[in-house]
Amino acid sequence: NEDPDDVRLGLLIEDKNGTKRTINKYPGRGAVTINNVRVIRLSDIYLIGAEAALKKTSPDQTLANDYLHAIKDRAHPGVERIAATLDLVAKERRKELVLEGHRLYDILRQGLEIKRQGTGHFLNGNDLITVNWNDYRTIMPIPQAEIDANPNIKQNPGY
């Protein structure tokens, strides 16, 4: 809701109280809900490029600015050009790729923590409220059937 001219705001629909907070990115169509979910999108590539340009040994600020602006300008034509930062790229990834399954991997790649709120989490309401990027549970265990089929496969550490 920070930019009323951002076309992505149209993904939010009003709830029964009139507040725009219900996400309608994949509404489905037909008798059986069918969605054409994208596996990779050009906007994802631009955002990866902007992040990579900033993380180079000698950062390429101009390239990062161009990539970030391409995404922001598509969402809000005529938006002012700004200097790209890693925080701005991360924020734009959250806006552009909402509900596409990227956020967890972004957090893990950046070495951040996942802070869970509310109740009813995995195991109980107190376990894993804050998950560090290097917690062994961020990588799933290898199924026992796979280990049985190939004795050279070793289980992921911690399981």
Side-chain angles (χ1 to χ4, degrees):
N1 287 320
E2 71 184 22
D3 182 358
D5 295 323
D6 191 322
V7 297
R8 295 170 297 196
L9 188 58
L11 296 175
L12 298 176
I13 57 176
E14 293 181 1
D15 62 12
K16 62 183 179 183
N17 298 322
T19 304
K20 280 192 158 188
R21 64 175 157 211
T22 303
I23 299 173
N24 193 34
K25 189 167 189 172
Y26 297 111
R29 65 181 194 282
V32 176
T33 303
I34 298 171
N35 287 296
N36 184 13
V37 179
R38 275 58 171 185
V39 176
I40 192 164
R41 297 194 294 124
L42 183 59
S43 55
D44 189 15
I45 300 302
Y46 274 106
L47 292 166
I48 289 169
E51 182 179 331
L54 291 170
K55 287 185 173 182
K56 288 173 60 175
T57 305
S58 297
D60 188 338
Q61 188 67 50
T62 302
L63 185 61
N65 293 349
D66 290 345
Y67 285 157
L68 182 63
H69 183 72
I71 299 304
K72 291 178 74 66
D73 190 57
R74 184 205 46 80
H76 179 180
V79 70
E80 179 182 338
R81 291 183 74 90
I82 57 172
T85 65
L86 289 174
D87 287 340
L88 287 173
V89 172
K91 185 176 189 177
E92 205 60 31
R93 285 186 67 79
R94 288 194 310 271
K95 289 196 238 178
E96 185 69 22
L97 305 173
V98 66
L99 293 177
E100 293 185 22
H102 295 274
R103 182 73 178 133
L104 174 64
Y105 300 105
D106 289 347
I107 289 170
L108 298 177
R109 185 183 70 253
Q110 295 167 5
L112 302 174
E113 290 181 335
I114 301 167
K115 294 184 190 289
R116 296 157 44 127
Q117 299 176 1
T119 59
H121 297 302
F122 182 68
L123 299 181
N124 59 55
N126 300 315
D127 188 47
L128 288 179
I129 297 302
T130 300
V131 181
N132 290 317
W133 69 272
N134 59 353
D135 187 291
Y136 78 94
R137 290 167 283 197
T138 61
I139 299 173
M140 298 299 293
I142 298 172
Q144 188 61 47
E146 296 299 324
I147 295 171
D148 293 344
N150 183 347
N152 293 320
I153 294 178
K154 302 291 184 229
Q155 183 58 269
N156 287 326
Y159 289 103

